[in-house]
Amino acid sequence: MRNKYIESFEQAQVENKNVPAFRAGDTLRVAVNIKEGEKTRVQNFEGLCIALRGQGTGKTFMVRKIGANSIGVERIFPLYSDSIESIEVLRRGRIRRAKLFYLRDLKGKAARIKELRRK
C-alpha cells in the first residue's frame, strides 16, 4: 500500500514524459544526454530490451547490445529519467518470457529474437 501523497507526486512526474509502449524483446534506440565538463551531447544506445522492472517513477528497463569484439554491454535506464532524451522502438520481438537473461549465455545467430508479425 503506497502513500496517496507520494502516488499523486509520482503521477505528476510521469504525466509530462512521452514514453512509447515497449516490452522485453523489443529493439530500442535510447538517446541519452551525456555531460562532459561544460558540454552536453546526446548519445544513442541501441540494443535489445531484456527486462522491465519496478513501478511508478522507479520503473527501470535494461538494454543489452553487442559491442566491439562481440562483448555484451548492458545498461539499466530509469524510465522517467531526465537524462533520457527519447526512446524509439525499432523492432518488436516475438518472445515468451518477461526477462531475457538467458541471452547472456548465447552468441551469434542463436541470440537473435524473431520479429513479431502484426496483421
Side-chain angles (χ1 to χ4, degrees):
M1 186 76 184
R2 295 173 67 97
N3 189 327
K4 64 181 178 181
Y5 299 113
I6 294 173
E7 262 185 24
S8 65
F9 175 75
E10 285 184 351
Q11 192 62 34
Q13 296 287 332
V14 170
E15 282 174 357
N16 58 8
K17 281 289 194 177
N18 185 14
V19 178
F22 64 91
R23 59 186 205 148
D26 295 350
T27 303
L28 305 176
R29 182 181 293 140
V30 183
V32 184
N33 285 323
I34 294 182
K35 188 175 181 190
E36 295 172 335
E38 298 297 314
K39 299 178 187 174
T40 61
R41 65 185 175 90
V42 176
Q43 183 179 25
N44 288 328
F45 190 87
E46 187 175 320
L48 190 70
C49 178
I50 61 171
L52 279 159
R53 66 173 298 279
Q55 62 182 2
T57 55
K59 195 167 192 176
T60 61
F61 63 102
M62 191 180 298
V63 180
R64 177 180 174 83
K65 76 172 184 178
I66 303 299
N69 298 328
S70 59
I71 293 175
V73 179
E74 292 181 4
R75 280 187 74 177
I76 300 171
F77 297 102
L79 190 60
Y80 299 106
S81 173
D82 291 334
S83 64
I84 293 180
E85 187 85 12
S86 67
I87 301 171
E88 185 181 348
V89 179
L90 303 177
R91 293 179 60 196
R92 301 264 181 207
R94 188 174 145 250
I95 56 159
R96 295 167 67 175
R97 303 203 179 310
K99 307 277 192 284
L100 305 179
F101 297 134
Y102 67 91
L103 291 175
R104 293 172 176 166
D105 301 328
L106 302 179
K107 285 189 171 35
K109 287 186 177 182
R112 288 185 302 181
I113 300 289
K114 288 186 179 177
E115 191 163 2
L116 184 65
R117 301 246 177 208
R118 301 255 176 184
K119 293 182 181 176

